[in-house]
C-alpha cells in the first residue's frame, strides 16, 4: 500500500502486484516474483524486455543471491538508502562485501529519470478522538518513554506509520485501505517532533499536539534532526522498522540501542472498550 510517489517498480516494469523486486543492469532487467504472481507477471511483462524470475518457496533473498552470483569485484550496486530497510541493507552487505562489490545508497536514481514523479501525499491529517481514542496521547507517550528509560535510551526514532498514528492518536488517508499518514517521529523524555508535510496539519491539530509536547516539523527535516543528536545520547531504533539511510544519519558518537518499537506490543494490547469497538466494526 504505497503512495504513488514510491511505486517506482510498477511504473518502470508495468507489474502491478504488491510484492516483487526489480533489478536493472546494463544488459539485463529482471523481476523477482513469488508463485502468487507468476501468471500475472508473465502477462504484464510481455514486450517489456524484463525477464520474470520465479521465487521458489520462501526464498525471499533470491534476488540477493542472484546479485552475489552475477556481480563482479569492484562493480557498484545502486539502491536508494532512504527507502531500503536496514535489515535488507545488512543482507546485501553480507552477501556482496565479501565479493568486493560496492553498494551506493546516497543517490536516488529513480528520481533522476522519473520526470513526472508524484509528490508527497496531501490528504489532511485528522484526530482520532474520544470516545474511540480510549487511551490519551499523553498516556501513550508516557508508556513509550518508560520503555525507553528501561532500555537506557534518551531518544527513540520511529518511521512505521501505524506506530505513529497509534501513538499520537492521529489518522490520515495517504494510502488505500489504511488510515495512516506518511511521517517520522523523534521522541525524547520531554518532547517529540513529528516530521510530516506541514500543509497536511491544521493549526488546531498543531495546537493540540503542542499541549502534549509534540512539535510538527517538515517531513524533510527528519534526517537533519538525527544528525544533530547530542554526543553519548542513547537512541532506540527498531532495525526491522527503519531505513538504512536513517540509520546512517545517526552520528557515530551516539549509542544505538536496537530493539522492537515499544509501541508494537503496546498497541496490540486492547482495553475492554477498544475490544468492544473492534467487535462493533466487525
Amino acid at each position: 500500500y504505497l503512495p504513488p510517489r514510491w511505486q517506482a517498480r510498477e511504473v518502470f516494469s508495468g507489474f502491478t502486484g504488491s510484492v516483487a523486486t526489480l533489478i536493472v543492469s546494463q544488459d539485463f532487467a529482471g523481476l523477482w516474483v513469488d508463485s502468487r504472481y507468476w501468471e500475472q507477471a508473465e502477462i504484464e511483462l510481455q514486450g517489456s524486455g524484463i525477464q520474470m524470475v520465479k521465487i521458489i518457496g520462501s526464498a525471499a533473498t533470491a534476488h540477493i543471491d542472484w546479485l552475489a552470483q552475477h556481480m563482479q569485484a569492484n562493480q557498484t550496486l545502486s539502491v536508494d538508502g532512504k527507502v531500503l530497510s536496514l535489515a535488507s541493507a545488512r543482507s546485501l552487505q553480507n552477501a556482496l562485501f565479501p565479493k568486493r562489490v560496492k553498494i551506493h545508497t546516497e543517490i536516488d536514481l529513480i528520481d533522476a529519470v522519473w520526470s513526472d514523479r508524484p509528490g508527497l501525499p496531501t490528504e489532511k491529517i485528522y484526530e482520532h478522538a474520544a470516545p474511540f481514542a480510549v487511551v490519551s496521547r499523553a498516556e501513550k507517550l508516557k508508556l513509550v518513554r518508560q520503555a525507553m528509560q528501561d532500555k537506557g535510551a534518551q531518544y527513540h526514532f520511529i518511521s512505521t506509520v501505524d506506530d505513529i498514528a497509534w501513538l499520537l492518536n492521529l489518522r490520515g488517508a495517504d494510502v488505500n485501505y489504511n488510515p495512516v499518514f506518511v511521517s517520522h517521529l523523534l521522541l525524547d523524555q520531554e518532547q517529540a517532533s513529528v516530521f510530516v508535510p506541514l500543509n497536511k496539519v491544521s493549526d488546531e491539530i498543531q495546537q493540540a499536539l503542542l499541549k502534549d509536547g509534540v512539535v510538527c516539523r517538515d517531513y524533510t527535516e527528519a534526517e537533519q534532526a538525527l544528525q544533530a543528536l547530542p554526543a553519548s545520547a542513547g537512541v532506540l531504533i527498531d532495525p526491522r522498522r527503519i531505513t538504512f539511510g536513517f540509520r546512517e544519519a545517526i552520528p557515530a558518537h551516539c549509542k544505538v540501542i536496537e530493539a522492537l518499537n515499544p509501541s508494537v506490543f503496546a498497541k496490540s494490547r486492547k482495553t475492554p472498550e477498544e475490544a468492544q469497538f473492534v467487535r462493533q466494526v466487525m
Side-chain angles (χ1 to χ4, degrees), residues 12-205:
F12 285 89
S13 72
F15 174 71
T16 60
S18 63
V19 179
T21 300
L22 176 65
I23 294 177
V24 179
S25 72
Q26 292 294 342
D27 54 10
F28 169 81
L31 187 80
W32 274 253
V33 289
D34 65 47
S35 58
R36 292 173 295 172
Y37 299 112
W38 290 349
E39 291 189 21
Q40 177 182 345
E42 186 175 6
I43 294 169
E44 292 183 336
L45 294 178
Q46 283 183 1
S48 68
I50 300 171
Q51 178 181 329
M52 176 179 64
V53 184
K54 294 181 178 181
I55 299 175
I56 307 298
S58 59
T61 60
H63 63 287
I64 298 178
D65 297 336
W66 183 91
L67 287 168
Q69 291 171 9
H70 289 81
M71 293 195 73
Q72 305 300 315
N74 299 318
Q75 287 187 326
T76 300
L77 172 69
S78 180
V79 56
D80 182 7
K82 289 180 179 170
V83 297
L84 177 70
S85 75
L86 178 56
S88 296
R90 287 173 173 171
S91 294
L92 282 169
Q93 290 171 337
N94 290 337
L96 298 181
F97 279 178
K99 294 198 65 176
R100 291 182 288 133
V101 170
K102 303 170 186 175
I103 303 176
H104 202 316
T105 60
E106 297 178 357
I107 297 177
D108 181 0
L109 290 177
I110 296 295
D111 207 48
V113 296
W114 190 355
S115 59
D116 57 347
R117 185 177 189 178
L120 292 169
T122 58
E123 296 289 338
K124 296 294 184 181
I125 291 170
Y126 57 95
E127 287 262 24
H128 181 58
F132 306 107
V134 177
V135 184
S136 72
R137 180 164 45 234
E139 291 177 277
K140 292 178 178 179
L141 289 167
K142 181 180 179 181
L143 184 71
V144 171
R145 286 184 170 122
Q146 181 59 56
M148 292 165 53
Q149 186 173 329
D150 293 344
K151 295 182 182 301
Q154 293 78 48
Y155 293 87
H156 178 29
F157 185 72
I158 310 173
S159 278
T160 33
V161 292
D162 54 327
D163 286 318
I164 296 171
W166 175 85
L167 186 55
L168 299 183
N169 279 346
L170 298 176
R171 299 292 186 267
D174 287 356
V175 297
N176 293 329
Y177 318 118
N178 292 281
V180 295
F181 52 96
V182 173
S183 56
H184 305 287
L185 182 69
L186 181 60
L187 185 67
D188 64 29
Q189 289 293 341
E190 301 295 333
Q191 291 185 318
S193 295
V194 58
F195 303 92
V196 63
L198 295 177
N199 60 352
K200 298 163 63 72
V201 193
S202 68
D203 291 341
E204 181 182 5
I205 290 180

